[in-house]
């Protein structure tokens, strides 16, 4: 017997057609899927996933800038 109230297993089945299309067409839906699997509604999952994605991008950019600075400093030694 399948229990559709288990969001971590059946989150995709619980979405409407438009939301399913958004997920399948998205290039990297991993952040929002994380929240959908925990039972959040689609709108909340998309907002939190977006915020996580932006935070991740900022962190990556910060680390890339630090790496570039380290390379430049090492070349000057």
């Amino acid at each position: 017997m399948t229990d559709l109230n288990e969001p971590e297993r059946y989150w995709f089945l619980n979405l409407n057609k438009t939301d399913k299309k958004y997920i399948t067409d998205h290039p990297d839906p991993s952040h929002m899927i994380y929240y959908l699997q925990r039972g959040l509604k689609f709108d909340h999952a998309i907002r939190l996933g977006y915020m996580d994605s932006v935070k991740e991008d900022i962190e990556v950019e910060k680390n890339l800038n630090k790496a570039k600075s380290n390379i430049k400093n090492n070349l000057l030694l």
Side-chain angles (χ1 to χ4, degrees):
M1 182 161 105
T2 59
D3 181 8
L4 295 180
N5 292 322
E6 296 180 54
E8 68 278 358
R9 293 182 63 197
Y10 301 104
W11 63 269
F12 193 77
L13 297 176
N14 294 331
L15 295 176
N16 66 43
K17 192 175 183 179
T18 304
D19 295 345
K20 286 179 182 177
K21 181 163 176 33
Y22 184 87
I23 293 282
T24 55
D25 290 350
H26 197 283
D28 181 13
S30 60
H31 291 285
M32 68 182 109
I33 288 173
Y34 173 84
Y35 292 106
L36 288 169
Q37 289 175 330
R38 279 143 188 82
L40 272 72
K41 299 289 184 198
F42 186 81
D43 291 342
H44 290 99
I46 210 169
R47 282 188 205 110
L48 291 171
Y50 176 76
M51 288 172 31
D52 286 352
S53 179
V54 168
K55 288 177 188 175
E56 186 178 275
D57 288 347
I58 290 169
E59 186 68 24
V60 166
E61 184 66 28
K62 185 175 102 177
N63 289 337
L64 285 173
N65 288 336
K66 186 175 182 179
K68 287 176 187 176
S69 175
N70 287 342
I71 288 171
K72 183 179 177 182
N73 289 339
N74 288 339
L75 291 175
L76 294 175
L77 293 177

